[in-house]
Amino acid sequence: MSYPTPWQGQGQGSPQPWQGQSGASMLAATADRERAVDVLRAGFAEGRLREDELEKRVARAYGARTVGELMLLVADLPQGPQATAVVQAPHPGFRPVPPTFLPRPVPPTNGKAVGSLVCGLLIVPTLGLTGIPAVILGHTARAEIQRTDEGGDGLALTGLVFGWLAVAGWALILLLMIVAAASST
């Protein structure tokens, strides 16, 4: 006797999108589908799924309409929905969304990257005097960001560009002053 697997969506026990107002009936976003496919691919890479089963589940994941359907696809995999602690439900059909389907936390922004951007933006009112600190902070911030996976690489890069523009501007002014002094003698 062959029993249908939960991800095939067969049988009367499968939650349907129109049943109740629970977290499982919440409409799935593209990011939810992508996370489910990532879990499926990880299960395949670990040898937990056969290739034909992976292909079927991936196709169902991309066609899933609700988070509940996605939860069924990955429920039997280690990174799929886990048993959650008892939570006070706001209503009887409430089910919390498993961590797999929650957005990834945003990494903190590197403070030196912010400092580099501020110094880079202040080159105009300070006549370029904050250019060198912008360059130093920008390079330091980018090195720290690569090492620690913090956010703010764009801020550091913007500060670097403005800082180097200020340094280049001062170098050009000095070069013109030297040429003018040499030509006047």
Side-chain angles (χ1 to χ4, degrees):
M1 182 171 179
S2 171
Y3 294 100
T5 56
W7 63 269
Q8 291 174 322
Q10 299 173 353
Q12 296 176 347
S14 300
Q16 298 297 320
W18 56 85
Q19 291 178 339
Q21 295 295 321
S22 67
S25 65
M26 181 172 54
L27 291 177
T30 302
D32 298 328
R33 291 182 192 90
E34 290 300 326
R35 279 191 285 278
V37 169
D38 289 343
V39 171
L40 292 170
R41 289 188 177 136
F44 174 72
E46 294 170 354
R48 297 179 190 277
L49 296 174
R50 293 183 320 272
E51 187 173 358
D52 61 329
E53 188 176 1
L54 170 71
E55 291 171 5
K56 289 177 187 175
R57 289 192 192 198
V58 167
R60 288 203 37 118
Y62 284 125
R65 192 154 153 68
T66 65
V67 172
E69 293 175 59
L70 294 171
M71 289 169 53
L72 285 175
L73 291 172
V74 297
D76 57 345
L77 297 172
Q79 296 176 11
Q82 305 292 319
T84 57
V86 176
V87 176
Q88 182 64 33
H91 53 81
F94 175 77
R95 281 191 229 156
V97 177
T100 305
F101 297 104
L102 293 175
R104 293 187 181 115
V106 177
T109 303
N110 185 289
K112 291 179 183 165
V114 174
S116 175
L117 177 66
V118 169
C119 288
L121 292 174
L122 288 176
I123 63 169
V124 173
T126 63
L127 301 174
L129 295 177
T130 57
I132 292 176
V135 169
I136 293 169
L137 286 170
H139 282 295
T140 306
R142 292 195 77 201
E144 286 181 8
I145 289 168
Q146 287 179 344
R147 191 175 61 249
T148 62
D149 288 332
E150 289 179 305
D153 191 51
L155 302 175
L157 187 60
T158 304
L160 270 171
V161 169
F162 286 142
W164 280 117
L165 285 173
V167 169
W170 274 108
L172 182 63
I173 289 171
L174 288 174
L175 180 64
L176 290 174
M177 289 174 66
I178 292 170
V179 169
S183 65
S184 67
T185 49

